[in-house]
């Protein structure tokens, strides 16, 4: 019988190794991204798994059409005018696959010059654009930064179910599902499970999709987004969670700076300096904005998006920081698992993090005491019997704990300067979009 040994076939050097092959002939695979005909030769840009490589083809070579997948035999030649310090002189072209048609949309210019609708309708091909794919390379870098940081702090990565029996976040934005004769839902967050896992492993995190049946078409709401969740035990205050998030963001910015220079340059990203993040209470923040902009407060329970932007402007002017923690949100606006403040039960031991004027994180301390949790649920008129499996952890003992959830797409969009979260979503799901 044939035995598979786990041998990795290497068909040639990787693009990032090519400088070590100056003067040598190598084999490399990729797609023909762009052909620019010159007098007597052509510039050919080859799109490889990570980089776009400049190649030169003599006029005797028959070149296939753009988006053909090819294997090239080429010589690596030093070239100081090329960004990477070399170019490939093509000796032979072997065509591996030919598109049936030319792309209906031009993808090989600096920008894909089209509407957001078109960009998304043609996602499988528009993502091939150098800048478009750099967005998601950076997003992968963000997740890698988070993971490395959290692993270093003793967090264990977990994977929790997305088909659930009860909504964790309340509200009407929950997708219903028929589950073999039972009512089920798509998880709005891993909240219940990450808390349960604190009782098991003390520090856990998850980076996974969550679902919100948002009925509004806004620039910051998706119906499926990637939630970066962490939860930790034995805290004394929700401030420890804000400290952990600040350290995680700082680590991740340093990680991007160190390993993602190409994508950062291509997208012209200026990473925010994180030398500490100012924190202000919800009430103070509301008053501050009202006073500075002579804007009477309409809603003492929540922020309007416009207020978040104005708060950012004020804080940025005062401190130079592009982030701000807003703490002690009203209890009425926080879910039943949020811990109320001892000094004032109308507010919670919780926070939001705003980045460049947009909420990117919600977090806080949770109720760990069984009786306290029962009481709060009952005071909200909730049927506690439906939450028996959730309350099991409280009943049989939980450490004081808390955590946070960060919207990956919102964070990426703000980091890259996009006004619409869809630009930072690989295949967005919104009220009008289910494909691709
Ligand atoms: P919350 O519901 O505030 O909190 O969500 C946390 C973060 O998720 C992002 N987010 C969204 N991103 C895109 N589209 C949406 N429709 C959307 N809704 C929310 C935001 C938000 O700050 N369980 C709590 C977190 C916790 O306390 O640990 C929760 O889910 O960036």
């Amino acid at each position: 019988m044939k035995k598979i040994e786990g041998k990795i076939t290497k068909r040639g050097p990787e693009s990032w190794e090519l400088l070590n092959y100056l003067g040598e002939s190598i084999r490399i695979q990729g797609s023909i991204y762009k052909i620019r005909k010159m007098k007597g030769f052509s510039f050919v840009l080859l799109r490889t798994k990570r980089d776009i490589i400049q190649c030169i083809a003599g006029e005797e070579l028959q070149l296939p059409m753009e988006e053909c997948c090819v294997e090239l035999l080429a010589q690596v030649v030093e070239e100081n005018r090329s960004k990477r310090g070399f170019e490939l002189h093509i000796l032979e072209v072997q065509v591996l696959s030919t598109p049936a048609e030319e792309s209906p949309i031009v993808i090989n210019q600096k920008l894909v010059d089209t509407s957001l609708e078109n960009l998304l309708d043609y996602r499988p091909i528009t993502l091939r654009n150098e800048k478009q794919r750099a967005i998601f390379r950076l997003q992968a870098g963000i997740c890698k930064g988070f993971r490395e940081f959290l692993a270093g702090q003793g967090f264990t990565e977990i994977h929790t179910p997305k088909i659930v029996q009860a909504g964790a976040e309340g509200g009407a934005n929950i997708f219903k599902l028929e589950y073999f004769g039972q009512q089920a839902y798509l998880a709005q967050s891993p909240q219940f499970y990450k808390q349960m896992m604190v009782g098991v492993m003390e520090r856990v995190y998850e980076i996974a999709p969550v679902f919100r049946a948002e009925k509004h078409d806004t620039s910051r709401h998706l119906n499926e987004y990637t939630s970066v969740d962490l939860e930790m035990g034995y805290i004394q205050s929700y401030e420890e969670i804000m400290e952990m998030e600040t350290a995680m963001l700082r680590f991740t910015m340093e990680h991007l700076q160190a390993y993602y220079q190409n994508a950062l340059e291509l997208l012209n990203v200026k990473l925010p300096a994180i030398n500490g993040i100012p924190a202000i209470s919800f009430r103070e923040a509301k008053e501050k904005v009202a006073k500075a902009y002579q804007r009477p407060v309409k809603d003492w329970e929540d922020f309007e998006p416009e207020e978040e932007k104005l708060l950012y402007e004020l804080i940025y002017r005062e401190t130079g920081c592009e982030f701000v923690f807003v703490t002690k949100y009203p209890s009425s606006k926080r879910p039943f698992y949020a811990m109320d403040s001892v000094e004032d039960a109308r507010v919670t031991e919780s926070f939001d993090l705003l980045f460049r004027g947009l909420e990117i994180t919600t977090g806080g301390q949770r109720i760990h005491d069984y009786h306290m949790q029962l009481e709060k649920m009952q005071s909200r008129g909730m049927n506690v019997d439906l939450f028996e499996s959730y309350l099991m952890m409280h009943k049989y003992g939980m450490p004081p704990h808390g955590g946070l959830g960060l919207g990956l797409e919102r964070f990426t969009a703000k980091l890259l300067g996009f006004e619409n979260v869809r630009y930072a979503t690989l295949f967005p799901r919104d009220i009008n979009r289910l494909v691709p």
Side-chain angles (χ1 to χ4, degrees):
M1 201 190 296
K2 191 171 175 178
K3 200 162 147 210
I4 305 299
E5 304 281 358
K7 197 170 100 223
I8 310 287
T9 315
K10 212 161 180 274
R11 295 206 168 77
E14 299 290 357
S15 58
W16 57 92
E17 299 167 335
L18 286 174
L19 260 183
N20 304 329
Y21 288 78
L22 286 180
E24 293 180 39
S25 293
I26 52 100
R27 286 195 175 272
I28 188 162
Q29 297 176 320
S31 302
I32 306 280
Y33 186 54
K34 188 171 186 170
I35 300 175
R36 199 142 50 94
K37 288 213 169 3
M38 312 297 282
K39 244 203 179 127
F41 72 99
S42 296
F43 280 117
V44 177
L45 296 183
L46 185 74
R47 188 178 66 242
T48 65
K49 61 171 85 63
R50 256 207 233 163
D51 303 303
I52 300 222
I53 307 287
Q54 179 172 297
C55 311
I56 303 288
E59 60 186 346
E60 70 289 352
L61 269 181
Q62 182 110 33
L63 288 175
M65 69 194 277
E66 288 172 350
E67 288 306 309
C68 266
C69 301
V70 294
E71 179 166 306
L72 303 181
L73 174 67
Q75 194 182 19
V76 187
V77 177
E78 189 169 359
E79 173 53 73
N80 295 329
R81 282 168 301 177
S82 146
K83 210 169 119 202
R84 296 180 200 284
F86 69 88
E87 61 188 12
L88 297 182
H89 288 193
I90 304 175
L91 305 170
E92 261 175 49
V93 182
Q94 185 191 349
V95 177
L96 304 175
S97 130
T98 308
E101 285 181 29
E102 257 182 43
S103 165
I105 200 156
V106 179
I107 58 161
N108 59 12
Q109 299 297 320
K110 280 217 155 57
L111 289 173
V112 185
D113 186 15
T114 187
S115 64
L116 176 60
E117 280 313 292
N118 260 339
L119 191 74
L120 298 179
D121 284 346
Y122 291 101
R123 213 52 165 156
I125 47 175
T126 54
L127 283 169
R128 297 178 185 185
N129 171 265
E130 193 177 13
K131 282 195 179 185
Q132 286 295 314
R133 75 174 191 170
I135 298 169
F136 298 97
R137 185 99 67 215
L138 264 187
Q139 196 169 64
I142 293 170
C143 291
K144 197 150 183 261
F146 288 165
R147 285 199 166 94
E148 270 181 29
F149 173 81
L150 291 169
Q153 296 298 321
F155 285 79
T156 300
E157 183 166 11
I158 56 170
H159 306 281
T160 65
K162 303 301 156 210
I163 301 177
V164 295
Q165 201 201 14
E169 306 302 332
N173 64 354
I174 187 158
F175 284 110
K176 288 188 180 154
L177 202 69
E178 203 276 320
Y179 190 72
F180 307 113
Q182 270 190 70
Q183 176 78 77
Y185 303 95
L186 289 181
Q188 292 166 302
S189 79
Q191 185 64 38
F192 294 172
Y193 296 99
K194 65 176 178 167
Q195 283 187 254
M196 290 175 197
M197 291 308 291
V198 166
V200 181
M201 290 168 170
E202 204 178 304
R203 286 187 171 190
V204 294
Y205 77 96
E206 177 165 20
I207 302 180
V210 294
F211 305 89
R212 304 280 171 108
E214 310 284 358
K215 293 196 180 67
H216 309 290
D217 188 3
T218 79
S219 59
R220 59 185 205 288
H221 287 103
L222 297 163
N223 292 94
E224 174 176 349
Y225 71 90
T226 306
S227 186
V228 178
D229 276 273
L230 66 86
E231 200 72 17
M232 53 198 264
Y234 300 96
I235 57 165
Q236 288 183 343
S237 148
Y238 69 98
E239 286 188 7
E240 284 173 52
I241 303 176
M242 300 198 291
E243 295 286 357
M244 189 63 83
E245 180 165 32
T246 304
M248 177 172 88
L249 291 171
R250 187 187 298 133
F251 178 97
T252 302
M253 292 307 101
E254 284 164 7
H255 178 79
L256 295 182
Q257 192 68 48
Y259 301 107
Y260 290 81
Q261 264 310 320
N262 278 351
L264 291 174
E265 266 172 42
L266 202 57
L267 297 166
N268 204 9
V269 181
K270 192 170 167 292
L271 294 173
I274 304 180
N275 308 309
I277 297 180
I280 180 171
S281 78
F282 176 80
R283 197 171 175 90
E284 276 176 280
K286 289 290 260 195
E287 285 166 354
K288 197 176 175 72
V289 172
K291 193 161 161 228
Y293 295 93
Q294 269 145 36
R295 231 174 157 269
V297 175
K298 282 193 226 124
D299 179 0
W300 275 107
E301 296 200 317
D302 217 346
F303 266 122
E304 295 166 38
E306 183 59 20
E307 280 176 310
E308 294 182 338
K309 285 200 185 103
L310 298 176
L311 179 65
Y312 159 62
E313 280 173 21
L314 282 177
I315 298 287
Y316 183 63
R317 240 183 281 147
E318 271 176 39
T319 66
C321 186
E322 299 184 90
F323 294 88
V324 55
F325 281 115
V326 179
T327 62
K328 306 253 172 193
Y329 271 74
S331 193
S332 55
K333 279 288 160 179
R334 288 302 214 218
F336 68 90
Y337 54 76
M339 172 87 95
D340 291 333
S341 294
V342 181
E343 324 82 74
D344 179 359
R346 288 169 305 174
V347 299
T348 49
E349 298 290 277
S350 72
F351 65 90
D352 272 8
L353 178 62
L354 314 188
F355 176 36
R356 296 179 176 160
L358 180 71
E359 175 206 318
I360 58 159
T361 297
T362 294
Q365 183 164 358
R366 329 297 186 185
I367 298 175
H368 56 273
D369 179 80
Y370 179 61
H371 298 289
M372 190 188 284
Q373 184 62 85
L374 271 189
E375 210 173 288
K376 188 161 181 179
M377 291 170 88
Q378 280 157 349
S379 73
R380 292 189 170 203
M382 293 170 69
N383 179 357
V384 291
D385 294 343
L386 291 178
F387 294 86
E388 200 185 333
S389 72
Y390 173 66
L391 290 167
M392 199 188 291
M393 66 175 155
H394 300 83
K395 196 176 205 170
Y396 299 109
M398 275 297 278
H401 65 282
L404 60 83
L406 172 147
L408 180 66
E409 295 81 357
R410 284 196 187 180
F411 179 53
T412 313
K414 279 288 153 185
L415 191 67
L416 305 191
F418 301 139
E419 274 317 309
N420 194 316
V421 76
R422 289 164 182 77
Y423 285 107
T425 312
L426 208 49
F427 297 103
R429 292 289 171 262
D430 62 35
I431 189 158
N432 300 310
R433 183 172 291 281
L434 195 53
V435 284

